[in-house]
Amino acid sequence: MEEFEEPTEADKELTDFVVSHCDRWRDWRNTNYLPDWEEYERIFRGQWDAQDKTRESERSRIVTPATQQAVETRHAEIMEAIFGQGEFFDITDDIRDVNGNPMDVALIKAQLMEDFKVDKIRKAIDQIELMAEIYGTGIGEIVVKTDKMFVPTTKAIPGQTQAAIGVQEKDRVAVKIMPINPKNFLFDPNGTSIDDCMGVAIEKYISIHKIVEGMEKGIYRKVNITPTYDDTDLEPTQEISQYQDEKVLLLTYYGLVPKEYLLKDEKIEELFPESSVADEYSNLVEAIVVIANDGILLKAEENPYMMKDRPVISYQDDTVPNRLLGRGTVEKAFNMQKAIDAQVRSHLDSLALTTSPMIAVDATRLPRGAKFEVKPGKAFLTNGPPSEILYPFKFGQTDGNNLQTAKEFERMLLQSTGTLDAQGAITNGARDMSQGGMSMAVASIIKKYKRTLVNFQEDFLIPFIHKAAFRYMQFDPERYPSVDLKFIPTATLGIIAREYEQQQFIGLLQTLGPNTPVLPLILKGILNNSSLTNRYELMAALEKISEPDPNAKMAQELQIQAAQAQIAVNTTQAEQNRAEATKLSVEAQLMPREIQAKIASSLTTNLPNEDAANSREFDKRVKIAELMLKEADINNKGKIVELQMQKG
């Protein structure tokens, strides 16, 4: 017979410490949130329940899909924004940490992307984001496992030319994130974040064979455990009948506990000789505690992770300040959803009364034992004239405005959630708007999506990548060297924002025309913003097309050189003309002085010897010289005017 471990006094006290806190947290959560969460789930799945009636006389059970559409629209938009471009994160690093080799960072990034694909991280995040839209909070638990991989292998047989073909078994460290339903999540109500809480816990039902497997691997203590089942609130979905066999209630606690409870071979009396509340909370350490069936301790140890961080992350779909839990799309749409359901159900109830054939009968004049039914071809036996005994009638008429009112409520629902309807507009007025009005409406929606995207990136995506990288560095150091990494989210735009910007690019292209020099840049922007799988190939081809032909480039350079040479020739000719003009101007200015000198010289040369004759001859020459000077001055001024006009 297999021997089981018996719990010590410290184990019992630790179990009581964790369970008592979790019970109080659960009671607070169930009182404030659980009934709403269950109705949110029914609305999203289109399930009717008697407690969801809007009035006692209501008979119709229809659940209109307006909220379902809003949730799926927002969910698809956020997922497209995160994973639409392929890579959803990037890495930066201090070069000193990797010995100046940037290839190490690129290698770690590629290795992380490959491991995330193998561990189906995208699928898990998809489920977490969907629950955030429904319940208001996305929660994930990071789990480190060692998976066995079977790889086809060919080995040579010693001494033979043949080879053996078989399968080789390998161990692989896997870091996964498990989606956690808020109904399975407990937390300290005094905290506003995972790290701010004294502790958080995840409770759920799992198959007993997984517990036994953990015992065999040494993960859990070998204790005597039996299946149990008594709580349906922990089930992932609301079913008519839940399967109850071979289940174990597992509570996993991540948080602070008194350090003394984790010590072995100690008596509880020695741990707290004078017990008090202050003593109990005076020496707390971060620990992981696993309890089965609310009383069997399976595991208790200090936080084994090298960064001492809690392996649980959460984010708010829409921010609720100073609270851990957020606000989801269903909560935003709840009032209008109830109004739409009430209006449509009343319309269907009215149709049931006004369209179904009804008839009043004088029961005293029917044959004894007659079974009265209204159907085509039915023969009625009456004791007297049928017109006096049978009377067909209706309960009024159904008002056709009921559905119009329901459409108005639907418009309000889309307005409250900030989503697009099937016609691509959030209001009836927006459908008749101009292009500018539609652009304003779409821009408002994009801003709301970005708020949720920022919450997701900062509170969930980047912390998860950090925690996953640290766990790979700790448990798989051969593939992941320990370096200080910084992760950057690369999620950009959802499909609505991408299509909106595509229209902006196309409008810009139509405005500038096909001959604009920025045409390659605009086309690159359109391709980079698209969701085409081969957009990088198209961008590379566009890059080659936009590169100039070498021959054309050479011809262009020769043309430029020829133009520069012609400009130099024209400049030289202009300078020469300017020099000649300056020379002529100087000569024109010096000519009167030269003439004056010549006249002065001629006045005193070749004069007669006689004094009287000499005097007369000199006077004559003076008068002639004065006339010549006047004529020369007039000619000189005319040349100066001509030169000035040529310069102007």
Side-chain angles (χ1 to χ4, degrees):
M1 182 176 180
E2 187 177 3
E3 295 183 358
F4 298 107
E5 297 183 16
E6 294 295 332
T8 63
E9 289 296 324
D11 294 340
K12 294 178 181 179
E13 290 293 330
L14 176 61
T15 303
D16 182 68
F17 176 87
V18 173
V19 171
S20 62
H21 280 82
C22 290
D23 287 343
R24 293 196 297 271
W25 300 345
R26 187 188 304 106
D27 292 340
W28 175 86
R29 184 207 64 187
N30 291 349
T31 302
N32 292 278
Y33 294 98
L34 186 59
D36 293 336
W37 286 346
E38 291 179 342
E39 188 168 4
Y40 294 164
E41 179 190 340
R42 290 193 297 269
I43 290 175
F44 172 70
R45 299 187 65 191
Q47 295 178 337
W48 179 88
D49 192 89
Q51 58 184 325
D52 297 337
K53 284 185 176 183
T54 56
R55 66 181 190 279
E56 288 298 327
S57 61
E58 188 174 86
R59 298 181 61 193
S60 176
R61 299 186 176 187
I62 188 172
V63 179
T64 56
T67 299
Q68 301 173 34
Q69 175 182 275
V71 169
E72 292 171 354
T73 299
R74 285 184 57 87
H75 174 60
E77 181 68 15
I78 297 300
M79 293 306 296
E80 176 67 21
I82 299 168
F83 299 106
Q85 297 293 330
E87 296 182 355
F88 55 93
F89 71 92
D90 201 354
I91 301 178
T92 59
D93 183 64
D94 188 352
I95 297 180
R96 293 174 297 178
D97 294 334
V98 290
N99 299 324
N101 186 7
M103 291 300 295
D104 291 344
V105 175
L107 181 62
I108 293 175
K109 176 183 176 181
Q111 189 68 56
L112 269 177
M113 292 296 297
E114 180 181 347
D115 288 333
F116 285 166
K117 289 181 180 179
V118 173
D119 295 328
K120 300 180 180 180
I121 297 300
R122 175 172 180 171
K123 182 178 180 180
I125 291 179
D126 183 278
Q127 298 179 29
I128 293 171
E129 209 287 323
L130 179 59
M131 286 191 289
E133 296 294 338
I134 299 173
Y135 303 106
T137 309
I139 307 168
E141 178 187 14
I142 301 175
V143 178
V144 182
K145 299 175 61 178
T146 301
D147 292 341
K148 292 187 179 296
M149 299 179 60
F150 297 93
V151 182
T153 307
T154 302
K155 291 185 178 181
I157 300 176
Q160 298 183 12
T161 58
Q162 297 179 347
I165 300 176
V167 177
Q168 183 179 3
E169 182 178 331
K170 293 183 178 180
D171 290 336
R172 173 184 171 273
V173 175
V175 178
K176 302 181 180 182
I177 183 167
M178 310 301 295
I180 302 300
N181 193 307
K183 295 187 297 183
N184 303 109
F185 182 66
L186 303 175
F187 63 95
D188 178 10
N190 296 321
T192 59
S193 66
I194 296 294
D195 295 331
D196 189 38
C197 294
M198 189 189 82
V200 297
I202 299 168
E203 55 178 356
K204 57 186 176 181
Y205 283 102
I206 65 173
S207 178
I208 191 172
H209 81 274
K210 294 184 178 180
I211 302 295
V212 176
E213 181 183 1
M215 293 180 183
E216 295 295 331
K217 292 182 178 180
I219 300 174
Y220 299 142
R221 300 179 181 181
K222 290 187 177 182
V223 296
N224 187 12
I225 188 171
T226 57
T228 184
Y229 188 88
D230 58 1
D231 192 352
T232 59
D233 292 336
L234 297 178
E235 295 294 344
T237 56
Q238 302 175 53
E239 306 292 345
I240 297 176
S241 176
Q242 300 286 355
Y243 188 75
Q244 302 179 10
D245 297 338
E246 299 179 346
K247 285 187 174 182
V248 174
L249 177 59
L250 193 70
L251 175 69
T252 306
Y253 174 86
Y254 303 102
L256 300 173
V257 298
K259 185 175 182 180
E260 290 79 5
Y261 289 154
L262 299 177
L263 300 177
K264 296 183 178 180
D265 300 329
E266 294 282 352
K267 292 184 178 181
I268 196 65
E269 292 82 2
E270 298 177 359
L271 298 179
F272 299 105
E274 296 180 1
S275 179
S276 66
V277 176
D279 293 334
E280 190 176 12
Y281 294 96
S282 62
N283 189 15
L284 300 178
V285 294
E286 193 72 26
I288 298 177
V289 181
V290 181
I291 300 172
N293 295 339
D294 289 335
I296 302 176
L297 185 63
L298 295 178
K299 179 180 180 180
E301 63 178 359
E302 286 195 44
N303 192 323
Y305 304 116
M306 65 179 185
M307 305 302 293
K308 301 300 179 183
D309 56 338
R310 294 176 180 174
V312 180
I313 46 180
S314 69
Y315 79 100
Q316 296 180 343
D317 181 70
D318 194 10
T319 304
V320 177
N322 297 323
R323 288 291 184 270
L324 188 146
L325 300 178
R327 188 168 67 118
T329 302
V330 182
E331 182 179 349
K332 298 176 186 178
F334 181 75
N335 289 329
M336 287 300 101
Q337 177 67 38
K338 300 293 285 187
I340 296 170
D341 288 345
Q343 196 70 28
V344 174
R345 289 173 186 174
S346 66
H347 182 74
L348 295 180
D349 290 346
S350 176
L351 286 176
L353 295 173
T354 59
T355 60
S356 301
M358 289 178 286
I359 192 168
V361 181
D362 184 357
T364 62
R365 304 176 67 179
L366 288 177
R368 182 175 297 178
K371 185 178 180 181
F372 192 83
E373 294 179 354
V374 179
K375 61 182 180 180
K378 176 70 174 178
F380 297 101
L381 301 177
T382 60
N383 295 324
S387 59
E388 298 178 359
I389 302 171
L390 305 177
Y391 179 73
F393 71 96
K394 291 183 179 180
F395 283 102
Q397 294 182 352
T398 300
D399 188 0
N401 292 327
N402 287 336
L403 293 181
Q404 293 298 327
T405 305
K407 289 183 180 179
E408 185 66 17
F409 288 150
E410 182 181 356
R411 182 190 66 81
M412 295 180 186
L413 184 146
L414 298 174
Q415 186 179 16
S416 65
T417 57
T419 54
L420 295 173
D421 63 6
Q423 286 76 30
I426 57 174
T427 63
N428 292 330
R431 297 170 191 165
D432 301 328
M433 283 182 180
S434 62
Q435 185 64 30
M438 283 298 297
S439 297
M440 293 176 62
V442 174
S444 175
I445 293 173
I446 293 172
K447 293 176 183 177
K448 294 180 181 179
Y449 285 135
K450 284 187 176 180
R451 290 178 63 246
T452 302
L453 185 61
V454 168
N455 283 352
F456 177 83
Q457 290 176 339
E458 294 186 356
D459 296 339
F460 190 90
L461 182 61
I462 297 305
F464 163 69
I465 298 175
H466 271 110
K467 293 175 185 289
F470 293 147
R471 279 151 180 76
Y472 277 123
M473 293 175 189
Q474 180 178 359
F475 298 104
D476 196 0
E478 294 182 359
R479 293 194 304 155
Y480 289 89
S482 295
V483 294
D484 184 15
L485 301 176
K486 295 181 180 179
F487 298 93
I488 302 174
T490 58
T492 53
L493 299 173
I495 192 66
I496 294 178
R498 192 172 295 121
E499 290 177 355
Y500 174 69
E501 291 203 353
Q502 292 289 61
Q503 293 297 325
Q504 299 296 321
F505 276 125
I506 294 173
L508 181 62
L509 187 60
Q510 292 175 349
T511 302
L512 297 177
N515 298 324
T516 176
V518 296
L519 176 63
L521 297 177
I522 297 176
L523 293 179
K524 288 180 183 178
I526 293 174
L527 290 175
N528 190 37
N529 233 9
S530 68
S531 300
L532 299 174
T533 56
N534 61 337
R535 66 179 181 275
Y536 295 112
E537 298 177 6
L538 294 175
M539 292 176 63
L542 181 63
E543 188 73 25
K544 293 181 180 180
I545 294 175
S546 61
E547 291 180 357
D549 186 8
N551 297 329
K553 185 176 181 180
M554 184 178 298
Q556 185 178 6
E557 291 179 355
L558 293 175
Q559 186 178 2
I560 293 174
Q561 292 176 2
Q564 292 176 348
Q566 184 64 36
I567 292 172
V569 170
N570 294 337
T571 303
T572 303
Q573 185 67 34
E575 291 178 354
Q576 182 178 357
N577 294 337
R578 191 178 299 108
E580 291 179 357
T582 302
K583 178 181 177 183
L584 293 175
S585 177
V586 172
E587 290 178 353
Q589 293 176 1
L590 294 177
M591 186 177 296
R593 297 180 182 179
E594 182 180 357
I595 293 174
Q596 290 177 0
K598 290 181 179 180
I599 292 174
S601 176
S602 62
L603 289 176
T604 57
T605 56
N606 300 323
L607 292 174
N609 293 328
E610 292 84 1
D611 293 337
N614 188 7
S615 176
R616 289 193 298 270
E617 184 64 20
F618 183 78
D619 292 339
K620 181 180 178 180
R621 291 184 180 182
V622 167
K623 291 180 179 180
I624 293 173
E626 289 178 352
L627 293 174
M628 292 177 66
L629 287 173
K630 290 181 179 180
E631 182 179 2
D633 184 55
I634 292 172
N635 294 333
N636 185 32
K637 289 181 179 180
K639 289 183 179 182
I640 292 174
V641 171
E642 291 179 359
L643 290 174
Q644 290 178 349
M645 292 178 66
Q646 291 178 359
K647 290 181 180 181

